[in-house]
């Protein structure tokens, strides 16, 4: 059943929030992320093979652990947006936002009228009838977040046009794909990539749209925090688990 979006409300109150990308489609892993104390997870259905029933169970696991579930959908797929929201996602991460048209299409798919034209449905969102339909529509539009993932040079250049009309609740930079877009694949610290990320952040500040930093070190988080950033993605579950396994082997094998 539709819940209060704690990430949205914490950001509105000026509090910090922390999350992880999740590419391991296993409910127990999602539950562990919540039990570890993270505020949100971005369940990946763009690069990860996840069927709709599996996604719904990942979202259930997040709810059980008090974790706000966002879903990264495949590019330009309104059907995937609808299914993720019907399954209980509290936010949609839209990849490869290159212009305002991408946001307009996502708003149409993710929000009910009068803001959009999300298809009407029952099911688990309104608690199988516990929430009156008109009230559910109002609450869903108020609580669901639309998150723009800017990971192309075109999106950086169009960032003001993307943000000015509204409809975007949070912005994420995608340094990896940005590096490829600028011709320096995986050179995430390249000056051109860093300049692009800074440009995205500056535009968010100009238009009062929350910015979510991709930050894996305390030093970098301190820099973003000093700049007023309050939302952080701290990495990916798959990378964290692989690193922990390697470190465990090194410690226990003596190698």
């Amino acid at each position: 059943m539709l819940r209060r979006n704690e990430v949205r409300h914490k950001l509105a109150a000026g509090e910090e929030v922390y999350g992880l990308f999740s590419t391991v489609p296993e409910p127990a892993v999602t539950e562990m992320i919540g039990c570890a104390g993270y505020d949100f997870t971005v369940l990946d259905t763009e690069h990860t093979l996840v069927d709709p029933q599996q996604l719904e169970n990942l979202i259930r696991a997040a709810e059980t652990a008090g974790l706000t579930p966002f879903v990264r959908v495949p590019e330009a797929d309104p059907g995937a947006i609808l299914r993720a929201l019907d399954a209980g996602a509290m936010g949609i991460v839209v990849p490869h936002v290159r212009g305002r048209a991408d946001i307009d299409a996502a708003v149409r798919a993710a929000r009910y009228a009068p803001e959009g034209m999300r298809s009407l449905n029952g099911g688990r969102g309104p608690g199988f009838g516990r929430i009156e339909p008109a009230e559910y529509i109002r609450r869903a539009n108020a609580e669901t977040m639309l998150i723009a993932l800017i990971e192309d040079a075109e999106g950086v250049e169009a960032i003001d046009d993307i943000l000015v009309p509204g409809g975007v609740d949070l912005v994420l930079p995608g340094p990896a794909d940005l590096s490829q877009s600028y011709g320096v694949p995986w050179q995430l610290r390249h000056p051109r990539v860093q300049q692009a990320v800074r440009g995205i952040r500056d535009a968010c500040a100009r238009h009062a749209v929350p910015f979510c930093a991709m930050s894996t070190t305390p030093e970098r988080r301190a820099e973003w925090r000093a700049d007023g950033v309050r939302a952080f993605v701290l990495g990916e579950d798959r990378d964290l688990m692989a690193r922990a396994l390697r470190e465990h082997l090194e410690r226990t094998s003596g190698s």
Side-chain angles (χ1 to χ4, degrees):
M1 188 169 69
L2 180 68
R3 302 181 180 206
R4 171 185 164 98
N5 188 328
E6 294 298 336
V7 169
R8 176 188 279 281
H9 290 281
K10 284 183 177 181
L11 288 174
E15 299 178 39
E16 293 187 0
V17 294
Y18 299 91
L20 288 178
F21 275 97
S22 181
T23 60
V24 180
E26 169 53 55
V29 173
T30 302
E31 192 173 2
M32 281 191 284
I33 294 171
C35 290
Y38 290 88
D39 297 286
F40 66 92
T41 184
V42 179
L43 302 168
D44 183 27
T45 65
E46 181 189 23
H47 293 283
T48 305
L49 296 175
V50 182
D51 65 47
Q53 184 176 9
Q54 192 175 26
L55 177 62
E56 188 170 293
N57 286 331
L58 293 172
I59 290 170
R60 283 192 179 99
E63 294 170 348
T64 297
L67 185 67
T68 299
F70 299 146
V71 175
R72 176 165 67 175
V73 297
E75 183 180 352
D77 191 338
I81 292 176
L82 175 64
R83 290 188 294 274
L85 292 175
D86 282 353
M90 296 302 300
I92 296 296
V93 177
V94 183
H96 294 288
V97 172
R98 300 181 181 91
R100 182 63 201 185
D102 297 320
I103 293 300
D104 289 339
V107 168
R108 180 178 177 83
R111 308 224 188 267
Y112 293 113
E115 298 173 39
M117 286 299 292
R118 175 181 166 187
S119 181
L120 297 173
N121 188 31
R124 73 184 310 266
F128 301 98
R130 287 184 63 185
I131 303 175
E132 190 273 329
E135 173 64 9
Y136 172 71
I137 287 174
R138 184 193 69 77
R139 286 170 54 183
N141 278 356
E143 298 291 345
T144 302
M145 296 177 69
L146 189 63
I147 303 162
L149 182 53
I150 309 297
E151 46 191 342
D152 302 273
E154 300 96 317
V156 176
E157 294 168 5
I159 189 64
D160 287 297
D161 292 335
I162 289 169
L163 298 180
V164 167
V168 176
D169 300 299
L170 185 68
V171 172
L172 266 169
D177 277 328
L178 278 172
S179 71
Q180 180 166 251
S181 184
Y182 288 116
V184 288
W186 283 118
Q187 297 182 45
L188 307 188
R189 302 299 295 174
H190 190 281
R192 190 68 190 89
V193 177
Q194 292 298 299
Q195 180 184 359
V197 173
R198 168 50 57 183
I200 297 168
R201 162 58 185 155
D202 290 346
C204 288
R206 286 194 299 274
H207 302 296
V209 177
F211 173 84
C212 184
M214 305 278 282
S215 176
T216 58
T217 67
E219 295 76 17
R220 190 63 175 139
R221 278 194 298 283
E223 294 173 6
W224 284 121
R225 190 177 289 115
D227 192 39
V229 175
R230 295 293 177 263
F232 302 92
V233 167
L234 305 184
E236 179 190 276
D237 58 359
R238 178 177 54 186
D239 289 342
L240 291 170
M241 285 187 278
R243 187 179 307 118
L245 289 169
R246 288 193 297 269
E247 291 174 353
H248 176 71
L249 178 62
E250 290 170 3
R251 286 195 309 271
T252 56
S253 67
S255 59

